[in-house]
Amino acid sequence: MSMTPIEVSRAEQKSGTASSGSRFVRACLRQPVDRTPVWFLRQAGRYMPEYMAVRKHHSLLDICRTPEIAAEVTITAAERLDVDAAIIFADLLLPLTPMGVNFEFVNGEGPVVHAPIRTREQIEALRTDRAGDLIYVAQAIEKVSRHFSAPRADGDQLGIIGFIGAPFTLASYMIEGGSSRNYIECKRMMYAQDGAWPLLMEKLIAVLTQYAQQQVEAGADVIQIFDSWAGALSVSDYRDFVLPHTKELVQRVQQMGVPVIYFGVDTASLLPTFRQLEADVIGLDWRVPLDEGWKCIGHHTAVQGNLDPITLFAGEDLLRKRVKEVLDAADNRNGHIFNLGHGIVPGTPVENVVNVARWVREMSAR
Ligand code: CP3
């Protein structure tokens, strides 16, 4: 997956390794910004009437697999909220299909894998040669990138975020067959130490690297790696069974010339270990005060977060106060991207999300 010198310099130009016209990308690289950039996890989702209108006529997977619709949903959310970055509309689980693992979204239950991966034979049969099937996500990114190619009214270039799942979180869906409380089967496979777990990690990394490369070539400025359920792991298990593989993936994506954001939920106890990933940005969930979390990670790394998404159900005064607390904790230090500590949930009042974006713009102006 090595790049030619021309590709490297294009990636550098795009990502702004030297200097970018996107305050979002600049903040990822801990460069000075005129104000704190802001976007929201799950900014295009079921809380938004525009998304529900599209969803009425298409399944979630249809939206993901149709570049025109995925691009439209991505663009509509970013423009409605007036945020500094657009995350491509896709789903974490899309790479399971070309690997040969079938799944569906069951209403009210979330994702279901009908034949979970539990044996070494099943892992050996997983395919790594069909990542090209995921090109529809890159095609959607191309459309979004073209749409936002001109600078906005304030001169800023909107950042475009591609994303992939982390090997642990994707493996947890493959092995457990869906969402899980105790991750027994997944941890059982880790603990067996019979070579099955490292083989699964290696195959996931092979596919995820190709998938991320497609997204970067299509115009993603930054790649976010979602390790949503890493918080289920003890520090020891994370260090022994997850860190080395995740670090390899982070490095491979960074070699594509874009900054990497690494995010998980319930990760306060893991933050000191996350240092070793050397990701450009760590996403913080809402349970840890941002200044404490940032200290644990070290100020040489940028942070993203971390308002509790349920605060968006509060009245204006409290919501505004909480937004200010997050900004105060970041103290205008270079390398803060304002976000939630996890995704926006259905039922969230859209106006509150719009207001938070506006308050961040107003309150954080340098
Ligand atoms: O703007 C955006 O962020 C939307 C794009 C997006 C989706 N999924 C679309 C989606 C993103 C970034 C994801 C990532 C994702 N998918 C994660 C990691 C992010 C996180 O929340 O930690 C995970 C764990 C998944 C797997 C997944 N997809 C689950 C567990 C579910 C069910 C959740 C539920 O509440 O039912 C989904 C479905 C899904 N993916 C929805 C959306 C908008 C909602 C269902 C729908 O529209 O029918």
Side-chain angles (χ1 to χ4, degrees):
M1 206 39 70
S2 67
M3 289 195 288
T4 65
I6 290 170
E7 282 170 334
V8 171
S9 85
R10 199 188 300 131
E12 276 171 5
Q13 261 175 18
K14 177 110 195 111
S15 77
T17 309
S19 179
S20 171
S22 160
R23 65 172 71 85
F24 165 69
V25 174
R26 292 176 60 80
C28 290
L29 297 167
R30 290 176 52 249
Q31 294 172 357
V33 286
D34 56 341
R35 63 166 175 79
T36 304
V38 53
W39 69 280
F40 300 96
L41 293 166
R42 286 273 162 109
Q43 64 192 24
R46 283 169 296 180
Y47 76 103
M48 194 174 259
E50 290 89 338
Y51 173 74
M52 289 315 283
V54 175
R55 191 66 178 75
K56 220 162 114 185
H57 304 288
H58 307 277
S59 72
L60 172 62
L61 289 175
D62 282 346
I63 298 173
C64 293
R65 290 174 182 155
T66 313
E68 292 73 23
I69 307 180
E72 181 202 315
V73 167
T74 305
I75 292 165
T76 303
E79 292 185 339
R80 170 92 196 257
L81 302 175
D82 200 1
V83 284
D84 297 303
I87 184 164
I88 191 61
F89 192 89
D91 195 83
L92 213 64
L93 302 181
L94 298 174
L96 269 55
T97 307
M99 294 185 79
V101 178
N102 295 319
F103 70 94
E104 59 176 322
F105 287 102
V106 178
N107 267 345
E109 229 187 291
V112 176
V113 175
H114 294 293
I117 302 297
R118 301 276 166 88
T119 66
R120 187 176 176 110
E121 292 66 45
Q122 283 175 294
I123 295 171
E124 278 163 3
L126 292 174
R127 293 183 59 170
T128 57
D129 59 336
R130 293 194 296 199
D133 290 3
L134 299 167
I135 199 70
Y136 53 84
V137 174
Q139 288 164 347
I141 290 178
E142 256 168 39
K143 290 180 189 299
V144 174
S145 178
R146 209 170 307 134
H147 180 87
F148 288 118
S149 60
R152 298 181 289 163
D154 66 355
D156 186 73
Q157 189 85 37
L158 194 104
I160 296 168
I161 307 170
F163 75 88
I164 55 177
F168 165 74
T169 290
L170 278 182
S172 81
Y173 282 104
M174 285 181 162
I175 298 166
E176 298 292 338
S179 306
S180 179
R181 176 181 284 269
N182 292 319
Y183 300 88
I184 295 171
E185 298 305 329
C186 185
K187 291 185 180 181
R188 194 204 298 279
M189 192 184 286
M190 279 179 190
Y191 300 153
Q193 309 216 40
D194 59 358
W197 177 258
L199 182 62
L200 177 56
M201 294 291 102
E202 187 188 311
K203 287 195 158 192
L204 279 165
I205 290 168
V207 171
L208 294 168
T209 304
Q210 298 169 65
Y211 181 35
Q213 179 83 53
Q214 292 163 14
Q215 297 186 51
V216 170
E217 284 170 5
D221 299 300
V222 172
I223 295 288
Q224 174 148 333
I225 300 180
F226 282 95
D227 212 350
S228 303
W229 314 135
L233 295 163
S234 68
V235 173
S236 307
D237 283 351
Y238 186 87
R239 181 196 60 211
D240 291 350
F241 303 120
V242 174
L243 175 69
H245 308 290
T246 312
K247 180 164 176 150
E248 159 138 20
L249 182 63
V250 169
Q251 281 174 341
R252 289 205 199 180
V253 178
Q254 284 170 332
Q255 279 161 15
M256 298 169 198
V258 294
V260 167
I261 304 173
Y262 178 75
F263 167 76
V265 182
D266 223 343
T267 57
S269 57
L270 293 167
L271 293 177
T273 313
F274 285 176
R275 279 177 184 241
Q276 295 174 55
L277 290 169
E278 295 180 45
D280 300 275
V281 186
I282 297 289
L284 298 173
D285 78 79
W286 71 92
R287 291 178 183 86
V288 65
L290 187 133
D291 48 345
E292 284 177 32
W294 205 345
K295 223 191 283 170
C296 282
I297 293 158
H299 292 124
H300 57 286
T301 300
V303 292
Q304 177 171 281
N306 71 343
L307 183 73
D308 180 348
I310 310 306
T311 317
L312 292 164
F313 290 84
E316 177 163 337
D317 290 351
L318 185 72
L319 182 53
R320 212 186 147 89
K321 178 165 176 264
R322 291 287 183 262
V323 169
K324 185 162 188 311
E325 282 169 3
V326 170
L327 290 171
D328 285 349
D331 198 20
N332 275 356
R333 207 185 278 280
N334 289 339
H336 176 226
I337 299 138
F338 189 99
N339 206 313
L340 306 172
H342 201 185
I344 301 178
V345 304
T348 299
V350 179
E351 277 320 295
N352 287 357
V353 187
V354 171
N355 282 340
V356 168
R358 197 183 70 243
W359 292 333
V360 172
R361 289 197 298 273
E362 291 168 1
M363 290 180 193
S364 70
R366 311 286 197 261

